[in-house]
Amino acid sequence: MKVLLFGGAGYIGTHVALEFLDRNDTVGIFDNLSSGLRSNVNDQALFYEGDIQDKDRVLQVLKEGWDVVIHLAAFKAAGESMLKPIKYSQNNISGSLNLITGCIKAGVKNFILSSSAAVYGEPSYLPVDENHPKNPTNYYGYTKLCVEENLKWYAQLKDFHYVSLRYFNAAGYDERGRMLGLENNPANLIPVVMEVASGIRPNLLVFGNDYDTVDGTGVRDYVHVTDLAKGHVLAADYLNAGKGNLVVNLGSEEGLSVQQILDTARKITGKPIDAQYVERRAGDPAKLVASSQLAYKSLGWKAEHSSVETIIQTTWKVYQANQKKLEP
Ligand code: WQD
């Protein structure tokens, strides 16, 4: 199978590429390297430098002929999307439409979207299944929903099929240590905790410990990036088998609190990891946990690497491997 990954030099994309390469598929990686790393691009993959906002470059590469296109090239910082909506609409909406229309023009019929639990907004029931109301509370979440809606229309109007994978909280690293790239200046909980453990950030600010949860801190559904990556392979096979269109949640179905993540990180790293308990972060729900039963029924997908120990251990190993580079 020939698979083209837009945004394939990023954290998720690199792990997705590994899964396809492990089964000897042909992998193309299209990336502008604005956050992805050239060093993340596997030697066995074909690399195309480019920006999804450059529709001529997108069409040029798509015309090389691909069985499946996977779109992992969106900006993903929910908070930033509220401060810089133009950046998010240009890349996440216009850029994504360049990919969809490019596929139609180039005759690429199968499209996988990296989507997000952010399309749901504040949960009205838990666990969240795919029928849950879609009321995104940040512009990033809206951009994902907007692209999903366009995929639905194009699949009705053209010979074009898609799978949208709604990730919950992606975390962890390849257990064989094949991915060592770190995100610069992360905002997500686990990389922030790892930066404190590595001594490059003074402390963790815990955004609220007065939620109605097991210990008052926010609860999320952390899913290992290898589980996510395997979901993309199953989705590509699903499309290639002509099974139609699908929108599924990819989550571990387990909720973990900030405090539980922090306690596990202290145990595994042996570091004190200083934490300050501060005000809640605007827009944060108390708890967000997936139902992934539809992914299990439709794709045979199940999270198998998403224990809190595996997530923290694999992440800590990458921060230790980068320790030299990280020293202030
Ligand atoms: C997790 C928990 C915070 C940082 C975001 C995006 C979502 C998706 C995943 C792309 C929450 C707490 C965090 C910190 C903290 N992105 N926290 N101190 O907000 O669940 O989801 O990333 O698809 O769209 O919104 O992830 O890692 O920011 O927060 O206390 O310094 O950790 O309050 O409870 P979130 P997160």
Side-chain angles (χ1 to χ4, degrees), residues 78 116 118 140 169 187-189 205-207 218 220 222 258 281 284:
S116 167
Y140 159 76
N169 287 56
N188 290 123
L189 176 67
L205 300 180
V206 177
F207 298 141
R220 294 290 183 275
Y222 295 93
V258 175
R281 180 172 63 177
D284 272 359

Side-chain angles (χ1 to χ4, degrees), residues 228-274:
L228 288 180
K230 289 177 183 300
H232 292 71
V233 174
L234 291 167
D237 290 344
Y238 181 92
L239 287 167
N240 246 3
K243 292 185 177 175
N245 306 308
L246 186 64
V247 179
V248 292
N249 291 339
L250 295 186
S252 65
E253 301 190 311
E254 298 291 325
L256 282 170
S257 73
V258 175
Q259 191 63 49
Q260 288 166 336
I261 295 282
L262 187 53
D263 294 344
T264 306
R266 284 168 171 161
K267 190 172 69 180
I268 287 174
T269 64
K271 306 287 184 184
I273 308 179
D274 181 40

Side-chain angles (χ1 to χ4, degrees), residues 153-219:
W153 271 105
Y154 270 94
Q156 288 174 33
L157 302 174
K158 293 291 183 183
D159 179 16
F160 179 76
H161 310 281
Y162 74 99
V163 172
S164 180
L165 301 172
R166 292 176 179 162
Y167 307 167
F168 279 64
N169 287 56
Y173 272 83
D174 178 57
E175 292 179 79
R176 289 158 57 185
R178 295 175 293 173
M179 162 58 168
L180 296 175
L182 292 178
E183 185 179 1
N184 284 327
N185 195 22
N188 290 123
L189 176 67
I190 292 175
V192 166
V193 166
M194 289 292 122
E195 286 199 348
V196 179
S198 304
I200 56 170
R201 189 186 288 239
N203 58 24
L204 167 72
L205 300 180
V206 177
F207 298 141
N209 60 343
D210 58 352
Y211 287 106
D212 179 15
T213 63
V214 58
D215 52 31
T217 62
V219 171

